[in-house]
Amino acid sequence: MSEEETGAKGSVTIIGLGPGDPRLLTESARIALDRAQDLIGYIPYVARVPEREGLVRHASDNRVEVDRARHALELAMSGRRVAVVSGGDPGVFAMAAAVFEAVEQGPADWRNLTIEVEPGITAMLAAAARLGAPLGGDFCAISLSDNLKPWDVVTARLEAVLRAGLSIALYNPISSARPWQLGRALALAAEILAPSTPVIFARAVTRPDEALRVLTLEEARTAPADMATMVIIGAPTTRLIERDGRLPFVYTPRSVTA
Amino acid sequence: MSEEETGAKGSVTIIGLGPGDPRLLTESARIALDRAQDLIGYIPYVARVPEREGLVRHASDNRVEVDRARHALELAMSGRRVAVVSGGDPGVFAMAAAVFEAVEQGPADWRNLTIEVEPGITAMLAAAARLGAPLGGDFCAISLSDNLKPWDVVTARLEAVLRAGLSIALYNPISSARPWQLGRALALAAEILAPSTPVIFARAVTRPDEALRVLTLEEARTAPADMATMVIIGAPTTRLIERDGRLPFVYTPRSVTA
C-alpha cells in the first residue's frame, strides 16, 4: 500500500524475530527492520536487533503492550516508519493483537495508517522442529496466562482439547506471577491422558542456552520450567523413536484410527 | 551433530519453504537448500527451488508422502545430503511426520542418520499476518482431510474447539477428492457460532495470485474455495476493524471475559 493510497506518511510494521537464532529470521523481516526509523518492543527483543545509525530504539518493560502499541501508532501518525518487534511470530500471543486493539480503540485516522505484520517462526514450531514432528497431527496453542482471561476459561479450553486428542502447545506456562498454572494444567492432562504421554520442555530454543527435555507426562508434573520454556503435551497418538545416546525423536503420525 | 558422532555420512533435512514468497524463507532454510545434493518433494514445492549444478531433483506427485520419505532416507544411507521440501512449515500437516513414520517403520540404522527439521512460516500464520491478528488468542490447526483419519474424528474435534471458543485454522479444506468436507465443517460452525462470526478465505497467500476474502460465517458457507485456500474461522471474540476502500483488519483480542 503506497503513501498516495493511504494519505498517511508513516507506517507500523509488526515484525516476528523468530525464536532467537538470527538465521531463523525471514528475509522479509530483515528488510523491514532495515527500513525502520523507530524500533519498539519488550527490552530483550529490541536488544536482538543490531544498532545502526538512524534507528531510534524504544525498549519497554513487559506488560505494557497496549501503551507500546499506542506509542508506535502515534509515531507513525507523525510520519515515522515504525517497527514493533516480537519474539517468535507477532500474531501468536504477541504484539500484533495489542496493536489492533489500540487501533480499534484509538482515533479514526489510525485506521488509515499502513499497518503490516511480518510473520516469524513461532516458539512451538521451532521447538517441534528441534525434536521431530510432535505437532504433525491436529494441534492447538493455548496461553496459560490468566492476566487477560479467567483461569476457568483456560481449564475449560484445556479439557476440551485434551479430550479431543489434539497435541497442545502451552505458551506463557510459568512466571513468578504465575507459579502454579503449569502444574494445574499438567494435573488436568494427567486425568485424561496416559502417564506415559510424551511431554516436551523446550527452553530457549535455538539460543545459546537451549535445553531440550523429552519427559513422560508423569515426569513432567514435577519438572522445573521457566518463562523461556515452551511446553508441548503430546496427543494420545504421539510416539517416541528412541536413539542411542541422543534424545528420542517425538512425532505425531498423520493418521488417526477410529 | 557431526558425522563422527553419528557414524553415518548422509543426512536428511526437512525444510519449510514458507507460503510462497521467497523472502519468507528463513536464512537457515536457504543455507540448508544450498548444501543439499538431492532435493525431494511434491512437484510444485521442488519447482520453487532454483536449479543449480550438483543438485539432483526428485519431484513426485501428491499422496506418496511415505514413499518419498523412504526414498530420502535411502539416499541419505548411501551418503547423500538430502533436502526434503514442504510448503509452509514441514511439521504442520506436511513431510516431517511422514519422514519420522518411515524412520520408525524402517531399518534400525535409519535412526542413526542425521535428520533435522528447518521450520518455515506455516500457511495459517502467513494468512493471519496479511489480515491482522485473527489467531491472537488461543487457536488450533485442524486438517479436514479424511484420508488419514475418520470424518467422525474430524467433526468431534471441530465441535470441541468451536465450543471452547478457539480460533480455528482449517488445513486441506477442499479438493476434488474432498468436495463436501468444508461445507460440513462450516455448517457445524454455524450451529455453534453467530452468523456474523468473521471467516477468512486466504488463497495463495504471498503468491502472485493471492486472493484474500473476509466473510461472515453465513457468507462463507456458500463461498468458493480450493486446495490453495487457507480457511480461518474466527473465535466468538474475533473482531473486525472496518477501513475505507480496503479489507478490514481482523483480530482476536488477547482478553477473554468470563
Side-chain angles (χ1 to χ4, degrees):
Chain A
M1 192 70 55
S2 72
E3 291 170 14
E4 288 70 24
E5 286 173 87
T6 64
K9 285 187 298 182
S11 63
V12 175
T13 308
I14 312 152
I15 301 174
L17 298 180
D21 182 338
R23 288 170 302 183
L24 288 177
L25 203 67
T26 69
E27 185 187 341
S28 189
R30 196 178 299 280
I31 292 168
L33 287 172
D34 287 346
R35 293 188 67 240
Q37 297 171 309
D38 292 86
L39 183 65
I40 289 185
Y42 177 40
I43 297 161
Y45 302 137
V46 167
R48 281 202 212 157
V49 180
E51 305 216 10
R52 66 171 161 79
E53 206 172 339
L55 180 66
V56 182
R57 304 161 76 85
H58 311 265
S60 48
D61 205 349
N62 214 344
R63 297 206 182 190
V64 293
E65 288 84 1
V66 174
D67 292 345
R68 199 187 283 153
R70 283 196 200 102
H71 184 200
L73 292 157
E74 283 161 2
L75 281 169
M77 284 302 293
S78 78
R80 306 281 291 178
R81 277 196 306 277
V82 182
V84 176
V85 289
S86 281
D89 182 282
V92 179
F93 306 118
M95 281 303 298
V99 169
F100 292 106
E101 279 171 49
V103 170
E104 190 179 21
Q105 294 157 10
D109 52 1
W110 284 7
R111 299 179 182 211
N112 295 321
L113 281 168
T114 296
I115 304 174
E116 294 181 325
V117 180
E118 283 292 341
I121 304 293
T122 185
M124 66 179 165
L125 296 180
R130 297 289 283 130
L131 285 156
L135 306 177
D138 298 326
F139 66 94
C140 64
I142 290 184
S143 169
L144 286 191
S145 171
D146 55 356
N147 291 337
L148 295 162
K149 64 189 170 193
W151 181 247
D152 284 354
V153 170
V154 178
T155 52
R157 289 180 174 181
L158 280 173
E159 184 166 347
V161 293
L162 285 162
R163 292 198 188 284
L166 275 64
S167 299
I168 303 169
L170 297 178
Y171 281 75
N172 305 314
I174 202 159
S175 74
S176 52
R178 291 190 309 279
W180 51 264
Q181 283 80 348
L182 177 60
R184 298 268 188 95
L186 293 171
L188 180 59
E191 291 175 22
I192 297 167
L193 300 175
S196 61
T197 305
V199 175
I200 292 167
F201 278 34
R203 190 183 176 287
V205 172
T206 79
R207 299 199 290 272
D209 52 341
E210 177 182 272
L212 305 173
R213 282 174 289 170
V214 178
L215 307 168
T216 64
L217 177 53
E218 191 62 28
E219 291 165 346
R221 292 183 61 184
T222 54
D226 66 12
M227 277 179 72
T229 306
M230 161 58 51
V231 175
I232 298 177
I233 304 174
T237 51
T238 301
R239 301 183 61 79
L240 297 185
I241 304 175
E242 298 293 348
R243 293 188 296 166
D244 290 339
R246 283 189 279 174
L247 281 179
F249 292 125
V250 187
Y251 84 100
T252 304
R254 301 161 304 149
S255 300
V256 177
T257 48
Chain B
M1 192 68 54
S2 72
E3 292 171 14
E4 289 68 24
E5 287 172 87
T6 63
K9 285 187 298 183
S11 62
V12 175
T13 308
I14 313 152
I15 301 175
L17 298 180
D21 181 340
R23 289 170 302 183
L24 288 178
L25 204 68
T26 69
E27 186 187 338
S28 189
R30 195 177 300 280
I31 292 167
L33 287 171
D34 287 346
R35 293 188 67 240
Q37 296 171 312
D38 292 88
L39 183 64
I40 289 186
Y42 177 40
I43 298 160
Y45 303 137
V46 167
R48 281 202 213 159
V49 180
E51 305 215 11
R52 66 170 161 78
E53 207 172 338
L55 180 66
V56 183
R57 303 160 78 86
H58 311 264
S60 48
D61 206 348
N62 214 344
R63 295 206 184 188
V64 292
E65 288 84 359
V66 173
D67 293 343
R68 198 188 283 153
R70 284 196 200 101
H71 184 201
L73 291 157
E74 283 161 3
L75 282 169
M77 284 303 293
S78 78
R80 306 281 292 176
R81 277 194 307 277
V82 182
V84 176
V85 289
S86 280
D89 181 283
V92 178
F93 307 116
M95 281 302 298
V99 169
F100 292 107
E101 279 172 47
V103 170
E104 189 178 22
Q105 293 159 10
D109 52 1
W110 285 5
R111 298 179 184 214
N112 296 321
L113 281 168
T114 297
I115 304 174
E116 295 181 324
V117 180
E118 283 291 342
I121 303 294
T122 185
M124 67 178 163
L125 297 180
R130 297 289 283 133
L131 286 156
L135 306 176
D138 298 326
F139 67 94
C140 63
I142 291 184
S143 170
L144 286 192
S145 171
D146 55 357
N147 291 337
L148 296 163
K149 64 188 171 193
W151 181 248
D152 284 353
V153 170
V154 179
T155 51
R157 289 179 174 182
L158 280 173
E159 184 166 347
V161 295
L162 285 163
R163 292 199 189 282
L166 275 64
S167 298
I168 303 169
L170 298 177
Y171 281 76
N172 305 315
I174 202 159
S175 75
S176 53
R178 291 190 309 282
W180 52 263
Q181 284 79 348
L182 177 60
R184 297 268 187 97
L186 293 171
L188 180 59
E191 291 174 20
I192 296 168
L193 300 175
S196 61
T197 304
V199 175
I200 292 167
F201 277 34
R203 191 182 175 285
V205 172
T206 79
R207 300 199 290 273
D209 52 341
E210 177 182 273
L212 306 173
R213 282 174 289 169
V214 178
L215 307 167
T216 64
L217 176 54
E218 190 62 30
E219 292 164 346
R221 293 183 62 184
T222 54
D226 66 12
M227 278 179 73
T229 305
M230 161 59 50
V231 175
I232 298 177
I233 304 175
T237 51
T238 300
R239 300 182 62 80
L240 297 184
I241 304 176
E242 298 293 348
R243 294 188 296 165
D244 290 340
R246 282 188 281 173
L247 281 178
F249 292 125
V250 186
Y251 84 101
T252 304
R254 301 162 304 150
S255 300
V256 178
T257 48

